[in-house]
Amino acid sequence: MSHMRYSCLMAVDPDHVLRTAAALLTRKATATMDEVAKAAGISRATLHRHFAGRDALVRALESLGIAECEAALDAARLDEGPARDAVHRLVREIESAAALLAFLYTENQLFEGEQQNAGWARIDERIAALFRRGQQSGEFRIDLSPVWLTEALYGLLASGAWAVSEGRVARNDFTYMIAELLLGGALRHPAQPREES
Amino acid sequence: MSHMRYSCLMAVDPDHVLRTAAALLTRKATATMDEVAKAAGISRATLHRHFAGRDALVRALESLGIAECEAALDAARLDEGPARDAVHRLVREIESAAALLAFLYTENQLFEGEQQNAGWARIDERIAALFRRGQQSGEFRIDLSPVWLTEALYGLLASGAWAVSEGRVARNDFTYMIAELLLGGALRHPAQPREES
DNA sequence: CCAGGGTGAGACAATCATGTCTCACATGCG
DNA sequence: CGCATGTGAGACATGATTGTCTCACCCTGG
C-alpha cells in the first residue's frame, strides 16, 4: 500500500484517502487521524489540509457512503421486475459499499441529537418502498413492516461485512448469504424458494 | 443533582451501575466515564472505586453480557423440540440482553488483536450447534452455513435493538420480527411457514 | 534556470479523558 | 456520642489526540 505512483502528481487523491480511511475505520472505529493518514500513505498535515478535522473526515465518509448507496440503488433498478429480484440486485450492487456502511451504521449512533443527514432518509425510503412494493404485489409477507425489513437489511449488511473481514465467511458468499437469508430465511421450504418469479 | 436518597444504603449497587452503563453506552458508545457515572447517579470517584478504569468497565459489561447470554441459552433449551421453536425461544429469552449485546457486538471490533473472550466462542458454538441441528433434521436449509446464521442473528439483534431504541419499531414486535425474519425471510411462501414441525 | 504549488516532518499549544489523590460530609454501628 | 465506612466534590498531573503553524524539500511548468 501507499506506494502508488504519485511520481508525476503531487496532488493527493481525496477519493483514495477516503476509501483507505473507510477500510481502516471499518476495522478500527477509533483510529487516530495519524493512523488514517499513515494508512493512506500521506502525512497527518496533508490529511488535515484536505479534511479540516475528524468530524469533516467522517462527514466526507458519510457523503461517500450516501453517494455509493444511491448509485447502488440506481443500478439495482428497484422498481423493475419482481421485488425479490430487485432485492438480489440491490445486495449485489451495494456489496462493495457494505464495509463503509457498516462503519457509518454504528457511527450514526453518535449523531444522536443532531439532524440526520437527509440523504439517509431518502435512501431508507427508497429501500422501504421496494419492500412495500413487494408486499403489495403479494411477493412479500405483510406481517413484517417495510421499515423493519430495511433495518434488517442494514444489520445483515453490517454483520456480513464484519464476518467477511474477520474471515468467518467467504467473501464470495456475501451477496448470496444476505439476499437469501433476507428473502427466504433459514427455514427449508417445501416449495423451492428460487423459482416463483 | 446528586441529592439522591441513599438514606439507608451507602453502598452502591454495582449491578445497577452496570445496567445503567450498558443502557447509556448502547446509545452513545463513546460516553465518558463521567457521563456513565452521572447516568448511574454516582460520582466519577465512586465509579472509579468499583471499576478500575474504562477497560475494566467494558470487561465487566462483557462478562455481564456473556452471563446473560448463557442464561438465555440455558432458558431456551436449544436442544429440545423442533429447531425453529428453539430459535423462537432463544430470541425471546435473549431480548432483554439485546441492547447490551448490540453494544458489545460493535465494541468487539476494538479488541482486534487481543484474544477473544472464550465465553463468546462458547456462545457462538452453542448457537451454531442449534442451526446445525436444524439443518441435520431437515428443518433448515443447508446452503446457509451455521456460522453465517449465527452472525446474522447477532446482526438482527443489534439492528432490532437500535430500531427499538430509536422508536422506528415497536418494542413489542421485537421477538416476532427477528425470529420470523431469521426463520422465514421476507418472502411470502405458498406453503404456510408455521406448520411443518 | 527559476518560481510556485503541494507535500512531509516536526514543533507547539490547547483540549479532553483519564487516573489518583485529598478533604468534607453523611450514615450506620457500637 | 464517637468512630468507621462509603460517598461526593473537586484539584491535580498525566497521556493522548487534535488543530495549527513553520520550514525544508521536491516536482512541475513556464
Side-chain angles (χ1 to χ4, degrees), chain A residues 27-28 105 109 112 138-139 141 143 151-152 159 162 168 176 180-189, chain B residues 27-28 105 109 112 139 141 143 151-152 159 162 168 176 180-189:
Chain A
R27 297 192 307 269
K28 188 174 190 292
Y105 188 51
Q109 309 303 102
E112 37 172 323
E139 285 181 88
R141 54 202 287 190
D143 57 338
E151 293 289 326
S159 30
W162 285 329
R168 280 208 276 273
Y176 180 81
E180 280 302 315
L181 180 59
L182 180 62
L183 288 172
L187 286 181
R188 177 163 165 271
H189 298 286
Chain B
R27 297 192 307 271
K28 189 173 189 294
Y105 188 50
Q109 309 304 105
E112 36 172 324
E139 284 182 271
R141 54 201 288 191
D143 58 338
E151 292 290 325
S159 30
W162 284 329
R168 279 207 277 272
Y176 180 82
E180 280 301 316
L181 180 59
L182 180 62
L183 289 172
L187 285 181
R188 178 164 165 270
H189 299 285

